[in-house]
Amino acid sequence: LVASGAEVCGVLSLTQDEHEQERYEGPIRDLALSHGIPFRETKFVRDRELARWAQDTGAATAIGVGVRILLPPSFYTAFQLGCW
């Protein structure tokens, strides 16, 4: 998305468990921050601040990649056009 010139309003990354060999949160964080994109990392998706942060990004929609847990309904409804 960044390479295509799309406006990315924020990036949320889930902190991986220590036993996981392939780590993604660091490279994702580095990419977001190097392009001035607001970044949030969390281990707990039920955090009430998560939906507020999503709304504060101003994004109309969200794209989930590699999400293997259910996000709370408040996160999905934070975006006018939904979450993909």
Side-chain angles (χ1 to χ4, degrees), residues 45-47 50-51 70-77:
V45 297
R46 301 252 180 247
D47 179 352
L50 198 57
L70 289 175
L71 297 170
S74 60
F75 185 81
Y76 291 107
T77 60

Side-chain angles (χ1 to χ4, degrees), residues 27-59:
I28 292 170
R29 178 184 53 249
D30 295 346
L31 179 68
L33 296 178
S34 71
H35 287 87
I37 300 168
F39 176 82
R40 172 101 182 234
E41 185 174 322
T42 186
K43 178 95 174 151
F44 305 103
V45 297
R46 301 252 180 247
D47 179 352
R48 292 176 191 246
E49 294 295 314
L50 198 57
R52 187 180 351 256
W53 176 84
Q55 289 176 327
D56 288 348
T57 66

Side-chain angles (χ1 to χ4, degrees), residues 8-9 12 16 22 27 36-37 72 76-77 80 84:
V8 179
C9 299
L12 170 67
Q16 293 175 259
E22 292 186 65
I37 300 168
Y76 291 107
T77 60
Q80 177 187 1
W84 303 85

